[in-house]
Amino acid sequence: MAPRRPVTGLSQEPRERFQQVIKDLREKRGLSFRELSELLGWDQSLFSRLESGATTGSPEVATGLDTFYGTTPLVLTLWELAAADKKQFRPQYRPYMEYEAKAVALSQFSLSRLHGLLQTEAYAREALSAGGLEGEELEQQIDARIGRQAILEGEDPPVLRSILSEAALRNSLRDPAEWREQLERLLEASNLPNVTIRVLPFGTGLHGLDTTEVMFLRLLDGRTVVYMENDLDGEVVEESSKAEYLFRAYDAVCDLALTPAESRAFILRLLEEVPCDPSI
């Protein structure tokens, strides 16, 4: 009889497994959070939050831990699985996340807020707080939102077309420094070969999406799924006739928007208007 394979006893949930492994690696070295912080250069609160599940950190942190412990690519692999785990998102948004992970092309219109794939951590914090989240749940959802952005720069990333209403760009964050960072993030994203950002300026008139924030997800099988959301809920539209109607409306809005070059110049002008000194 073949010997039984050993069972680790560790969680089968990706995020919990990530927490358990990095905790085990640290404890086997007999290191405190403070000592690990001094050795690696990150704040000790980061390692505490990693092990408590409040955050999964970043690929840079995972790679740093792998290098320190000599476990490459164990920690990074576990981080990738944890970051991709759909259970980290609120239940009403999980169906969309499944489609987003499989999409080969994303076409999105922002009516009043920037899409999560283009948000900085500060923007995500303010947006999610406005939606009523707080405490540990807020931190976990911020982490989940920022972690999603890795799909734009991964291997064979999807194409993203984003049309931003001027209203979304005029409704700035409270902190000027954080708003500068967000505008710079948009400019950085627009430099990616798979990302196109266009601005729909004020004065273009009414259109078919002037009450709707929407994302179109084109899948490998050729289907296009539509997703619409607000702070409380999200709706996946799979019916082809509705999806086609909304996509025609999106194309019409695209025709009204500035070109990518004009849009980049528009965002640069907004950036120049933000005071460098928050006290000004």
Side-chain angles (χ1 to χ4, degrees):
M1 178 182 296
R4 293 184 60 184
R5 297 175 61 186
V7 178
T8 65
L10 297 177
S11 172
Q12 299 302 301
E13 296 294 332
R15 289 177 64 89
E16 290 183 5
R17 174 65 70 92
F18 175 71
Q19 295 166 227
Q20 292 170 343
V21 168
I22 61 174
K23 179 180 180 181
D24 185 55
L25 289 169
R26 178 181 61 82
E27 291 182 341
K28 283 182 176 178
R29 290 287 188 96
L31 297 171
S32 66
F33 291 132
R34 180 182 59 79
E35 291 169 330
L36 191 59
S37 171
E38 291 173 351
L39 289 167
L40 294 181
W42 283 295
D43 191 276
Q44 67 183 55
S45 64
L46 170 62
F47 300 112
S48 173
R49 294 176 66 226
L50 285 171
E51 292 186 19
S52 71
T55 183
T56 54
S58 66
E60 290 76 20
V61 172
T63 300
L65 289 171
D66 260 334
T67 301
F68 177 72
Y69 291 124
T71 53
T72 302
L74 172 64
V75 177
L76 182 60
T77 300
L78 291 174
W79 177 86
E80 289 176 337
L81 294 172
D85 182 17
K86 304 302 178 293
K87 292 181 181 178
Q88 65 186 305
F89 300 106
R90 304 181 86 182
Q92 63 266 39
Y93 301 130
R94 289 175 191 167
Y96 165 77
M97 299 306 168
E98 294 286 349
Y99 283 120
E100 185 181 85
K102 300 173 184 175
V104 296
L106 308 164
S107 299
Q108 181 267 334
F109 173 62
S110 290
L111 182 64
S112 59
R113 286 189 184 173
L114 306 179
H115 192 267
L117 290 175
L118 298 173
Q119 293 178 8
T120 60
E121 182 176 334
Y123 192 104
R125 181 178 300 281
E126 195 163 312
L128 290 168
S129 295
L133 296 186
E134 57 185 17
E136 185 173 323
E137 185 181 12
L138 171 63
E139 297 302 322
Q140 195 271 329
Q141 289 301 310
I142 291 171
D143 190 51
R145 178 166 295 188
I146 300 304
R148 284 165 51 203
Q149 298 175 4
I151 68 168
L152 294 180
E153 300 184 57
E155 184 177 344
D156 194 22
V159 171
L160 171 64
R161 292 194 302 162
S162 180
I163 303 176
L164 309 178
S165 167
E166 184 173 344
L169 292 169
R170 292 292 181 184
N171 193 18
S172 60
L173 297 178
R174 297 180 180 90
D175 185 320
E178 291 179 347
W179 183 235
R180 286 185 63 85
E181 182 184 11
Q182 177 60 74
L183 293 175
E184 289 168 350
R185 161 67 180 150
L186 291 177
L187 293 170
E188 290 172 1
S190 71
N191 282 328
L192 295 174
N194 56 311
V195 176
T196 301
I197 295 178
R198 303 182 70 164
V199 175
L200 181 70
F202 291 142
T204 53
L206 302 180
H207 54 80
L209 296 179
D210 53 16
T211 61
T212 305
E213 298 219 4
V214 64
M215 170 71 90
F216 301 88
L217 306 102
R218 184 161 60 82
L219 308 177
L220 270 173
D221 61 9
R223 288 184 301 142
T224 295
V225 174
V226 184
Y227 181 76
M228 298 178 287
E229 73 169 331
N230 54 44
D231 280 339
L232 298 177
D233 205 356
E235 177 187 4
V236 174
V237 178
E238 296 180 288
E239 186 180 331
S240 58
S241 60
K242 290 183 179 179
E244 180 62 24
Y245 171 81
L246 288 166
F247 200 74
R248 287 177 184 172
Y250 181 86
D251 275 347
V253 172
C254 192
D255 289 340
L256 295 172
L258 301 177
T259 67
E262 292 169 338
S263 299
R264 182 175 177 83
F266 186 98
I267 297 171
L268 279 168
R269 288 195 298 272
L270 290 181
L271 185 59
E272 291 170 356
E273 294 172 6
V274 181
C276 293
D277 184 349
S279 65
I280 294 177

